[in-house]
Amino acid sequence: VKLLINTVGKFDLNQENIYSFFAPNLDTTLLVDLFTKYLSSSYTTFNLEWKTLGDSISPSTKGQQMEFPSLLFEHSYGVKITNYRSYIISSIFSQILFAFILLTITAIAFRLAFSSLKSQRKLITLKNDFISNITHELKTPVSTVKVALEALIDFNQSEDPVRSKEYLEMANSEMERLDLLVNQVLSNSSLEDGNGFINKEPIDLISITRDVIRSLQNRINDQRAAINIEHSDDQIIIEGDKLHIHGVITNLVDNSLKYCNIKPEINIKIDQDNKYTTITLRDNGIGIPEEYKDKIFDKFFRVPKGDEHSVKGYGLGLNYAQLVMKNHGGSINVTKNNPDGSTFILRLPRT
């Protein structure tokens, strides 16, 4: 519009064609000046190259340049614009930034969803394994008690008191085993929620360890296991919950007996220094593969052996041990986990 006003000046309304008046009076210098000033005010990065008669000028965008011909002149005239990409990028920078942020959020959301799905699948697998194992563990004592009761019903108890006592002892043993299983499941849940009742009192670790060995004596005799207890003092007193500490040691000794294909040999060492009381339990069992070293304390976790279920268990023993040690301010670790056996170290702070 500026070009038209400044160039045409006075226009005769009787003229049939404005172009017939405009073209002869048009000054290309004015066009260049106005166009350059316009671009320099808004598009400072643009480079202009004017093209005149003899050059092939046609509307096009190719490579990194744009060409625009003018239709205001009788001869070929136009401009080639280069170095405009920075302007385009700056113009759409906000959209690019928004798209990048959106893609990043989408990627993070996808990653979190994938991790959650993976975790859920793992939990489902663990839950199914736990249900399978716990069902078997519950079914065994129930079936044994049922058989014992049926045997008592089928014959005259007064005529064979010895057999009656044998069946009753069998039923009582299985009921104690069932009670231990239920209590351990409840204890794990309670300790994990932080609501477990820890009653700390002065206890003698040597005495507790010997009680554990006595409670497992029948199994020890059946497997002809050799158990050795070493201690630095006649008495090693700590502040702890007798019931739960007893349960931890029982679980470790029980595992050493279960996971051994030869004559079990278990060495328990108890010593004390100025800061810690340490219980070291070493066995000659099948050991723990290195890749599962940090997973054995997870709830319901059992070292996989395909479809083999030759060893009873439900993946709570070591998790329970870790929870008890944590509630006592201590720790439990496995240091030797090769096929020659395992070494568990329990460390409790002295108060």
Side-chain angles (χ1 to χ4, degrees):
V1 172
K2 286 184 179 181
L3 184 63
L4 180 64
I5 294 174
N6 293 334
T7 305
V8 175
K10 183 179 179 181
F11 174 63
D12 187 355
L13 296 176
N14 294 325
Q15 284 185 262
E16 296 181 358
N17 189 351
I18 187 174
Y19 182 75
S20 63
F21 180 82
F22 181 76
N25 295 282
L26 185 63
D27 185 359
T28 56
T29 302
L30 181 60
L31 172 64
V32 171
D33 182 60
L34 291 174
F35 193 70
T36 302
K37 286 181 179 179
Y38 171 71
L39 290 183
S40 64
S41 63
S42 304
Y43 312 95
T44 56
T45 60
F46 285 16
N47 292 329
L48 306 179
E49 181 183 343
W50 294 94
K51 307 183 72 173
T52 57
L53 186 63
D55 297 328
S56 175
I57 305 174
S58 60
S60 66
T61 303
K62 54 184 179 180
Q64 297 186 8
Q65 67 181 36
M66 295 184 294
E67 291 186 355
F68 298 98
S70 174
L71 301 178
L72 300 176
F73 303 97
E74 294 179 350
H75 57 273
S76 178
Y77 196 75
V79 66
K80 180 173 74 173
I81 303 177
T82 57
N83 198 31
Y84 56 84
R85 294 206 170 195
S86 58
Y87 170 78
I88 295 176
I89 293 175
S90 63
S91 298
I92 63 173
F93 178 76
S94 58
Q95 289 88 340
I96 294 175
L97 181 61
F98 175 75
F100 177 76
I101 294 174
L102 188 62
L103 287 173
T104 302
I105 294 174
T106 303
I108 293 174
F110 178 80
R111 174 64 179 174
L112 292 175
F114 177 76
S115 299
S116 177
L117 178 62
K118 189 176 179 181
S119 176
Q120 288 297 322
R121 291 184 63 182
K122 181 181 178 181
L123 288 175
I124 290 172
T125 302
L126 291 174
K127 182 200 71 174
N128 292 337
D129 290 343
F130 171 72
I131 292 174
S132 176
N133 292 326
I134 204 74
T135 301
H136 177 74
E137 291 290 322
L138 292 172
K139 186 177 180 180
T140 301
V142 171
S143 299
T144 304
V145 171
K146 184 179 178 181
V147 170
L149 293 176
E150 288 176 352
L152 287 172
I153 294 172
D154 289 341
F155 72 94
N156 192 338
Q157 302 178 29
S158 60
E159 293 181 359
D160 196 345
V162 176
R163 182 175 295 182
S164 298
K165 182 181 179 181
E166 187 177 309
Y167 284 135
L168 288 173
E169 288 178 348
M170 181 189 302
N172 183 65
S173 175
E174 291 300 316
M175 291 306 296
E176 287 180 353
R177 177 183 167 192
L178 183 60
D179 182 60
L180 179 64
L181 171 60
V182 174
N183 286 336
Q184 187 164 13
V185 173
L186 294 176
S187 296
N188 275 60
S189 299
S190 181
L191 289 170
E192 193 173 42
D193 294 337
N195 299 321
F197 184 74
I198 300 294
N199 181 26
K200 290 188 177 182
E201 57 182 339
I203 56 176
D204 181 11
L205 280 179
I206 299 174
S207 175
I208 290 176
T209 304
R210 287 173 177 165
D211 288 342
V212 171
I213 302 304
R214 279 193 292 269
S215 67
L216 297 172
Q217 194 63 52
N218 289 336
R219 287 186 56 195
I220 293 171
N221 293 337
D222 290 341
Q223 295 183 244
R224 292 179 296 175
I227 299 182
N228 179 49
I229 302 176
E230 300 178 19
H231 43 86
S232 56
D233 298 302
D234 293 336
Q235 280 189 328
I236 296 182
I237 307 297
I238 66 166
E239 288 287 331
D241 189 295
K242 182 177 181 180
L243 178 63
H244 287 304
I245 295 296
H246 186 283
V248 170
I249 299 175
T250 300
N251 273 299
L252 293 178
V253 175
D254 179 66
N255 284 343
S256 295
L257 294 172
K258 284 194 298 186
Y259 298 100
C260 186
N261 297 328
I262 57 178
K263 178 183 176 181
E265 295 180 3
I266 303 171
N267 184 71
I268 303 173
K269 183 178 181 181
I270 307 172
D271 54 24
Q272 201 170 46
D273 58 26
N274 293 331
K275 292 184 178 180
Y276 297 101
T277 300
T278 305
I279 305 173
T280 305
L281 187 146
R282 183 180 294 107
D283 61 41
N284 63 335
I286 60 176
I288 303 165
E290 186 68 27
E291 60 268 29
Y292 302 118
K293 178 181 174 182
D294 298 326
K295 297 181 180 180
I296 58 173
F297 298 105
D298 293 345
K299 195 173 184 179
F300 307 140
F301 180 82
R302 297 183 69 201
V303 176
K305 292 186 177 181
D307 296 328
E308 182 182 349
H309 298 283
S310 57
V311 180
K312 298 177 182 179
Y314 30 88
L316 291 175
L318 291 178
N319 177 255
Y320 168 75
Q322 186 184 56
L323 291 173
V324 171
M325 297 303 292
K326 182 179 180 181
N327 277 270
H328 281 78
S331 63
I332 177 171
N333 297 288
V334 57
T335 58
K336 181 183 178 185
N337 51 303
N338 53 44
D340 295 329
S342 302
T343 300
F344 286 88
I345 297 178
L346 291 77
R347 184 172 281 112
L348 291 162
R350 294 192 63 178
T351 56

